[in-house]
Amino acid sequence: MAFTAAVLVCMLVVASHVDASLTCAEVTNLLTPCISYAIFGGTVPPACCEGIKALNAGSNTTQDHRAACSCIMDGLSKIPGINYELVGTLPQTCGTTCSYKITPTTDCSK
């Protein structure tokens, strides 16, 4: 039974890497340091900018961008108090760009 569970977990991990360069769990880990800024403002933590830059480096295709966008939108929808205007400032504040603008109505399929 334990062996079957281990094989299943391995298959899921491998499958998640086939569809996109970064998994949703990886995107979440990279951007978690940005949450306090996205709610309260203030100074952007250096780890937030590092995460955004790492996300950009790991998202090379349209499929990667769509997957990351969907993960971000799903995660933000679960966090009360997110200020989307602050979220929108993060790429520029961190000295990078984002190929899509995160708003409450962002359609990641486009």
Side-chain angles (χ1 to χ4, degrees), residues 2-49:
F3 177 76
T4 304
V7 170
L8 181 59
V9 168
C10 288
M11 288 172 56
L12 290 172
V13 168
V14 170
S16 67
H17 281 284
V18 170
D19 291 335
S21 295
L22 294 171
T23 65
C24 191
E26 291 168 325
V27 171
T28 301
N29 286 335
L30 289 171
L31 299 182
T32 295
C34 303
I35 293 172
S36 63
Y37 174 79
I39 296 172
F40 303 112
T43 302
V44 176
C48 172
C49 290

